[in-house]
Amino acid sequence: MSATTSSMSSTTREATAAVKTDERVRRIPLWRSLMHRPEFGSIAGTLLVFVLFGILAGDSGMFNLDGIMNWAQVAAYLGIIAVGACLLMIAGEFDLSIGSMIGFAGTMLAVPAMFMGWPMWAAMLFAFAACMALGWLNGYLVVRTRLPSFIVTLAFMFILRGLTLVLSTHFANSTIVSGVGNRMAGDPLTHALFQGSVLNGLFVWLAHAGVITTLPNGEPIVDGIPKVLLWWLLVAAAAGFVLSRTRFGNWIFTVGGDAAAAQNVGVPVRRVKISLFVFTAFCACLFGVLQVADVGSAAADRGLQKEFEAIIAAVIGGSLLTGGYGSVLGSCFGALIFGVVQIGISYTSFDSDWYRVFLGTMLLLAVLFNHYIRSRATTGK
């Protein structure tokens, strides 16, 4: 019995040694596994940007509470549409009508409320319904005709921008519809969802306790957390959960990797793509409604070039232009880089015209880095 046990132990040790020496089973270093994460580049870029502006901005107030809220709000607005663009890019498609949809959403909210006598909550629901219906139409035309989404959504970019101009000038005789913010403040639902900030009492208490800076009248310099930040967190958390924890998220990756193969194994490719176009339109409408609530008016030129910024944020966040690869978390860090750079430059001695030069450089570096990581992952090196 002892000999048998000894023989079994020897066999086990030999098998374990064989596994350890099997070149097919390798221990991947932590740094290499991190580099294979799609969001690694954006996180590293965010840390680099913070260090850079920590040196350049110095004690200018950029990292004071009011400064943080300034660039965080810019990042939140962009982050909302970057999440939608990210999911759509992972599925292998683009939506160039996002920016025009933002301005269109504001007009769809303002015109019924200001000129047709609609309650503000009904106008808000109408804006979301109209934008999501157009998102469905975008997706349906792409999957039905098999035309590149770049072409279809480029057409809608001009159509929506033109419709926004026509409607605003027809009803308001101007490209700006004013007074919408006051109407929203008088409506409990839209005010609670989109206007102002939260945790106001906490910030007042912190100001009285001397924790945060106060204005000359004793009020806190920041009166709460803007609701756009909460919406960004909500949209990003929901999208991240769907992408990483659900069957639909697996479908998104599969469709972006190889749509034909996905179709062959039973993945509803058309439904996945159309749903993502609808979600992207929802994100654009949410951006537009939040912006109207914040500014107090709707303007036909809102959202100009935001479609490109959303795509850039997604690419910086690790999404590939060819689809099948990306991260919601990465796109959020990409949007954060935008917010820090856009607002941070005003705290330095640099000309603000360098903003787009910096972003273009970040985009190029992100594309090159993603291409390198993707090629390394593909070859198994």
Side-chain angles (χ1 to χ4, degrees), residues 26 35 61-62 92 127 136 184 202 206 212 219 265 318 337 354 371:
R26 294 185 302 172
M35 287 187 66
M62 177 181 173
W136 178 90
M184 293 184 76
L202 174 62
L206 291 174
I212 61 177
E219 294 295 320
V265 297
I337 290 175
W354 284 97
H371 174 73

CSV table of all heavy atoms in Angstrom, one decimal, residues 26 35 61-62 92 127 136 184 202 206 212 219 265 318 337 354 371:
chain,number,residue,atom,x,y,z
A,26,ARG,N,1.7,29.3,-19.9
A,26,ARG,CA,2.7,30.3,-19.5
A,26,ARG,C,2.0,31.3,-18.5
A,26,ARG,O,0.9,31.6,-18.5
A,26,ARG,CB,3.1,31.2,-20.7
A,26,ARG,CG,4.0,30.4,-21.7
A,26,ARG,CD,4.5,31.3,-22.8
A,26,ARG,NE,3.4,32.1,-23.5
A,26,ARG,CZ,3.6,33.1,-24.3
A,26,ARG,NH1,4.8,33.5,-24.6
A,26,ARG,NH2,2.5,33.6,-24.9
A,35,MET,N,-1.7,45.6,-20.1
A,35,MET,CA,-1.6,46.3,-21.4
A,35,MET,C,-2.6,45.7,-22.4
A,35,MET,O,-2.9,46.3,-23.4
A,35,MET,CB,-0.1,46.1,-21.9
A,35,MET,CG,0.9,47.0,-21.3
A,35,MET,SD,2.5,46.9,-22.1
A,35,MET,CE,2.1,47.6,-23.7
A,61,GLY,N,-5.8,77.1,-9.2
A,61,GLY,CA,-7.1,76.8,-8.8
A,61,GLY,C,-7.8,75.7,-9.6
A,61,GLY,O,-9.0,75.4,-9.4
A,62,MET,N,-7.1,75.1,-10.5
A,62,MET,CA,-7.7,74.1,-11.4
A,62,MET,C,-8.1,72.9,-10.6
A,62,MET,O,-9.1,72.2,-10.9
A,62,MET,CB,-6.7,73.6,-12.5
A,62,MET,CG,-7.2,72.5,-13.4
A,62,MET,SD,-5.9,72.0,-14.6
A,62,MET,CE,-6.8,70.6,-15.3
A,92,GLY,N,-19.0,47.6,-34.5
A,92,GLY,CA,-18.5,47.8,-35.9
A,92,GLY,C,-19.2,48.9,-36.7
A,92,GLY,O,-19.1,48.9,-37.9
A,127,ALA,N,-39.3,64.7,-27.1
A,127,ALA,CA,-37.9,64.8,-27.6
A,127,ALA,C,-37.2,63.5,-27.6
A,127,ALA,O,-36.5,63.1,-28.6
A,127,ALA,CB,-37.2,65.8,-26.8
A,136,TRP,N,-33.5,54.6,-34.5
A,136,TRP,CA,-34.0,53.4,-35.1
A,136,TRP,C,-33.9,53.4,-36.6
A,136,TRP,O,-33.5,52.5,-37.3
A,136,TRP,CB,-35.4,53.1,-34.6
A,136,TRP,CG,-36.0,51.8,-35.2
A,136,TRP,CD1,-35.9,50.6,-34.7
A,136,TRP,CD2,-36.7,51.7,-36.5
A,136,TRP,NE1,-36.5,49.7,-35.5
A,136,TRP,CE2,-37.0,50.4,-36.6
A,136,TRP,CE3,-37.1,52.6,-37.5
A,136,TRP,CZ2,-37.7,49.9,-37.7
A,136,TRP,CZ3,-37.8,52.2,-38.6
A,136,TRP,CH2,-38.1,50.8,-38.7
A,184,MET,N,-38.8,74.7,-17.5
A,184,MET,CA,-38.4,73.5,-16.9
A,184,MET,C,-38.3,73.6,-15.3
A,184,MET,O,-38.7,72.6,-14.6
A,184,MET,CB,-37.0,73.0,-17.4
A,184,MET,CG,-36.9,72.7,-18.9
A,184,MET,SD,-35.3,72.1,-19.4
A,184,MET,CE,-35.3,70.4,-18.7
A,202,LEU,N,-25.5,69.2,2.1
A,202,LEU,CA,-24.2,68.7,2.5
A,202,LEU,C,-23.1,69.8,2.2
A,202,LEU,O,-22.2,70.0,3.1
A,202,LEU,CB,-23.8,67.4,1.8
A,202,LEU,CG,-22.4,66.9,2.1
A,202,LEU,CD1,-22.2,66.6,3.6
A,202,LEU,CD2,-22.2,65.6,1.2
A,206,LEU,N,-20.7,71.8,4.7
A,206,LEU,CA,-19.2,71.8,4.6
A,206,LEU,C,-18.7,73.2,4.5
A,206,LEU,O,-17.6,73.5,5.0
A,206,LEU,CB,-18.8,71.0,3.3
A,206,LEU,CG,-19.1,69.5,3.3
A,206,LEU,CD1,-18.8,68.9,2.0
A,206,LEU,CD2,-18.2,68.8,4.4
A,212,ILE,N,-14.9,73.7,2.7
A,212,ILE,CA,-14.8,74.2,1.3
A,212,ILE,C,-14.9,75.7,1.3
A,212,ILE,O,-15.5,76.3,2.3
A,212,ILE,CB,-15.9,73.6,0.4
A,212,ILE,CG1,-17.3,73.9,1.0
A,212,ILE,CG2,-15.8,72.1,0.3
A,212,ILE,CD1,-18.4,73.4,0.1
A,219,GLU,N,-22.2,81.8,1.1
A,219,GLU,CA,-22.7,80.6,0.4
A,219,GLU,C,-21.5,79.8,-0.1
A,219,GLU,O,-20.4,80.3,-0.4
A,219,GLU,CB,-23.6,81.0,-0.7
A,219,GLU,CG,-24.9,81.6,-0.3
A,219,GLU,CD,-25.8,80.6,0.5
A,219,GLU,OE1,-25.8,79.5,0.1
A,219,GLU,OE2,-26.4,81.1,1.5
A,265,VAL,N,-24.1,31.7,-36.2
A,265,VAL,CA,-24.3,31.0,-34.9
A,265,VAL,C,-25.6,31.5,-34.2
A,265,VAL,O,-25.8,31.1,-33.0
A,265,VAL,CB,-23.1,31.2,-34.0
A,265,VAL,CG1,-21.9,30.6,-34.7
A,265,VAL,CG2,-22.9,32.7,-33.7
A,318,GLY,N,-9.7,53.0,-26.0
A,318,GLY,CA,-9.4,51.6,-26.4
A,318,GLY,C,-10.2,51.0,-27.5
A,318,GLY,O,-10.0,49.8,-27.9
A,337,ILE,N,-10.2,62.9,-20.1
A,337,ILE,CA,-9.0,63.6,-20.7
A,337,ILE,C,-9.5,64.9,-21.5
A,337,ILE,O,-8.8,65.9,-21.3
A,337,ILE,CB,-8.3,62.7,-21.7
A,337,ILE,CG1,-7.6,61.6,-20.9
A,337,ILE,CG2,-7.2,63.4,-22.5
A,337,ILE,CD1,-6.9,60.5,-21.7
A,354,TRP,N,-4.1,75.6,-28.7
A,354,TRP,CA,-3.4,74.3,-28.6
A,354,TRP,C,-4.2,73.2,-28.2
A,354,TRP,O,-3.8,72.0,-28.2
A,354,TRP,CB,-2.2,74.5,-27.7
A,354,TRP,CG,-1.1,75.3,-28.2
A,354,TRP,CD1,-0.8,76.6,-28.0
A,354,TRP,CD2,0.0,74.8,-29.1
A,354,TRP,NE1,0.3,77.0,-28.7
A,354,TRP,CE2,0.8,75.9,-29.4
A,354,TRP,CE3,0.3,73.6,-29.7
A,354,TRP,CZ2,1.9,75.8,-30.2
A,354,TRP,CZ3,1.4,73.5,-30.5
A,354,TRP,CH2,2.2,74.6,-30.8
A,371,HIS,N,-3.4,49.8,-32.0
A,371,HIS,CA,-3.0,48.9,-33.1
A,371,HIS,C,-1.9,48.0,-32.6
A,371,HIS,O,-1.8,46.8,-32.9
A,371,HIS,CB,-2.5,49.7,-34.3
A,371,HIS,CG,-2.0,48.9,-35.4
A,371,HIS,ND1,-2.7,48.1,-36.2
A,371,HIS,CD2,-0.7,48.7,-35.8
A,371,HIS,CE1,-2.0,47.5,-37.1
A,371,HIS,NE2,-0.7,47.8,-36.9
